[in-house]
Amino acid sequence: MRFLLNPGGNLRGSVRVPGDKSISHRAIMLGALADGVTGVTGFLSGADSLATLAACRAMGVAITDPDAAGRVTIHGGGLHGLTAPSAPLDLGNSGTSMRLLAGLLAGQPFASTLIGDASLMQRPMRRVTQPLGLMGAQITASASGTAPLQITPVDQLRGIEYALPVASAQVKSSILLAGLFADGATWVTEPAPSRDHTERMLTAFGYTVERDGMRVGVRGGGRLVATDVAIPADLSSAAFFLVGASIAPESDLILTDVGINPTRRGIITLLQMMGADIEIVNPRTFGGEPVADLRVRSAALHGIEIPEEQVALAIDEFPALFIAAACAEGETVLRGAAELRVKESDRIQVMADGLTALGIAADPAADGLRIRGGQLRGGTVNSHGDHRVAMAFAMAALRASEPITILDCANVATSFPDFAPLAAAAGLRISSDDNG
Ligand code: S3P
């Protein structure tokens, strides 16, 4: 599938982007492990969170199909209610599913195998298999530390104290989920704050989570009590619209019900540092998660040096931010973001190549990118099957001089199935076909 973009236009009106992907995964997993019936609203019906849903169903949990409002009912069987899947669990493109489920499955009394698509089968998994191994888990990966992951049951996991080498919510969450099944306490220390949705949702399900500065811990053997979960709109999906409305003249857009958890807010902070006009309206909470409407209007952006402490807080938003940088006056410099090289694609190289194809000077480094703002031309960009790269370059058309074609866009459905019609309704001149 490819996106075809005509240049120009602006973004106006009101948009509710789909439910938060990270929170959708966790709602299914914790609902499956809880005692009782969990009602979810705002669930993301994207391929990634549906992969988590299918995996939990394959382990005997009754879960309804999401309806148009993202309503899902999960009949949890308690902490020890999962049953052996009859086939390998295929998690598609979803790194979050694989890493979190590896932790959840490490303490089960049955064997399981985790596989995924070509991209996921190349992504690093040692970051979870190594600490889970310290807890006593039996997990084998390929010689290069990638999936398939083969998990063999062990008598008992034990709690550990683990210092994360890189800030990663996926690794932290994987260890904490294994910790629910471990003897004693499991503590994780982070080098920098990463998204804390697992901690917030465990608390909402009545499970005690201890915090002590940068350490977070759980004790095994507790109980999760079913609860209702309202999932905010995903700030990572809203990010494309925040950038699009900032760069396109005469834009004025409201994004409703967006999650603004402080561990996710880097994109708002960074765009505001660049001169963006983003207003946070009507702040409130959905369960334990802060939510607001975001009003964004066109603004003249300028380049910035991205503070390294913002990197983990904006980790998924750099493809979008790089498009803002391409439209900004002067240079934007990112460092300390080597993690971007092991996301759904190598986002440093793939974004640098795409920006260069569109006439923007972009110098990649091992751990970042330097971009000089300028006039975007038209051209063809390969997204390499990376949903966020595809959506970021779609927004670039708002300021391009000629049409843009974006190849390999089918994976947009992993996080934002209706991106093209929703963006078109707001004013993006986008269509799609099956020729690329
Ligand atoms: C996620 C954590 C992040 C992020 C990913 C979703 C999560 O990964 O990039 O899209 O839901 O925990 P890392 O924690 O590995 O940086």
Side-chain angles (χ1 to χ4, degrees), residues 21-22 26 96 99 127 167-170 195 315-316 343:
K21 182 153 77 75
S22 293
R26 287 155 173 85
T96 307
R99 296 199 178 111
R127 52 181 63 197
S168 165
Q170 293 182 349
R195 66 192 67 192
I315 192 68
D316 289 341
K343 293 294 180 188

Side-chain angles (χ1 to χ4, degrees), residues 23 25 27 31 35 65 106 145 192 252 285 326 328-330 343 345 375 380 383 387 420 422 430:
I23 300 176
H25 285 296
D35 283 308
D65 283 331
D252 186 350
T285 59
E329 175 87 37
K343 293 294 180 188
S345 71
Q375 173 59 51
T380 297
S383 79
H387 55 139
L422 222 95
I430 186 169

Side-chain angles (χ1 to χ4, degrees), residues 343-370:
K343 293 294 180 188
E344 287 84 328
S345 71
D346 175 346
R347 287 183 175 159
I348 292 176
Q349 195 58 49
V350 169
M351 288 301 302
D353 290 347
L355 287 168
T356 306
L358 299 180
I360 297 294
D363 291 330
D367 69 340
L369 191 58
R370 176 185 296 268

